[in-house]
């Protein structure tokens, strides 16, 4: 791939079943605690949510704020840098919705590929 094409770099951050879902939750809701994210995404397990949040934090997409108190309190939010992804994620979400509707029109609800 040509050096001017940076799709691969962008997709490395977004690839995975849960990262876009996590990011859309944080963009929509602002600051969220770990337990709030778990409730908002009931199909994700604790280990996977932790792993995905760490990767997003490493890439400076998600900001993690730890309060020094007992019991510990941790909040997650989109970093200023990560806010640049909001239009991309919204566009992908909108296209996904349109595509799902298109597939239902083509094949019906039973064969649309929706889970």
């Amino acid at each position: 791939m040509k050096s001017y094409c940076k799709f691969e770099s962008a997709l490395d951050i977004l690839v995975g079943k849960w990262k876009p879902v996590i990011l859309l939750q944080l963009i929509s809701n602002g600051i969220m605690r770990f337990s709030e994210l778990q409730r908002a995404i009931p199909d994700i397990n604790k280990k996977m949510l932790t792993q995905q949040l760490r990767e997003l934090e490493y890439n400076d997409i998600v900001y993690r704020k730890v309060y020094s108190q007992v019991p510990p309190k941790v909040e997650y939010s989109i970093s200023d840098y990560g806010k640049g992804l909001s239009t991309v994620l919204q566009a992908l979400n909108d296209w996904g919705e349109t595509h799902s509707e298109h597939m239902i029109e083509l094949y019906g609800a039973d064969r649309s590929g929706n889970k």
Side-chain angles (χ1 to χ4, degrees):
M1 193 172 271
K2 303 278 185 201
S3 63
Y4 61 83
C5 183
K6 299 297 182 187
F7 281 122
E8 194 173 327
S9 176
L11 287 177
D12 281 346
I13 293 169
L14 296 175
V15 165
K17 180 177 182 178
W18 300 111
K19 285 181 185 176
V21 177
I22 293 166
L23 291 171
L24 283 171
Q25 284 295 323
L26 290 172
I27 288 168
S28 298
N29 297 304
I31 297 169
M32 296 181 78
R33 295 183 68 176
F34 188 88
S35 59
E36 293 173 321
L37 279 165
Q38 267 192 306
R39 281 192 299 277
I41 313 167
D43 292 338
I44 193 170
N45 65 45
K46 195 175 199 175
K47 180 181 176 186
M48 183 58 66
L49 180 56
T50 300
Q51 177 186 337
Q52 300 290 279
L53 285 167
R54 284 184 182 156
E55 289 176 20
L56 290 166
E57 183 185 5
Y58 174 81
N59 285 294
D60 193 30
I61 305 301
V62 166
Y63 176 69
R64 179 176 182 253
K65 183 173 184 176
V66 180
Y67 294 87
S68 56
Q69 65 183 46
V70 177
K73 177 181 176 182
V74 180
E75 294 177 335
Y76 295 91
S77 60
I78 297 292
S79 69
D80 288 338
Y81 177 69
K83 288 177 184 172
L85 283 172
S86 62
T87 52
V88 172
L89 290 170
Q90 189 60 55
L92 281 171
N93 188 59
D94 293 347
W95 186 87
E97 188 174 321
T98 301
H99 178 67
S100 293
E101 292 168 4
H102 178 71
M103 296 305 287
I104 289 170
E105 287 174 14
L106 282 176
Y107 302 111
D110 294 337
R111 295 186 60 208
S112 67
N114 291 340
K115 295 178 182 169

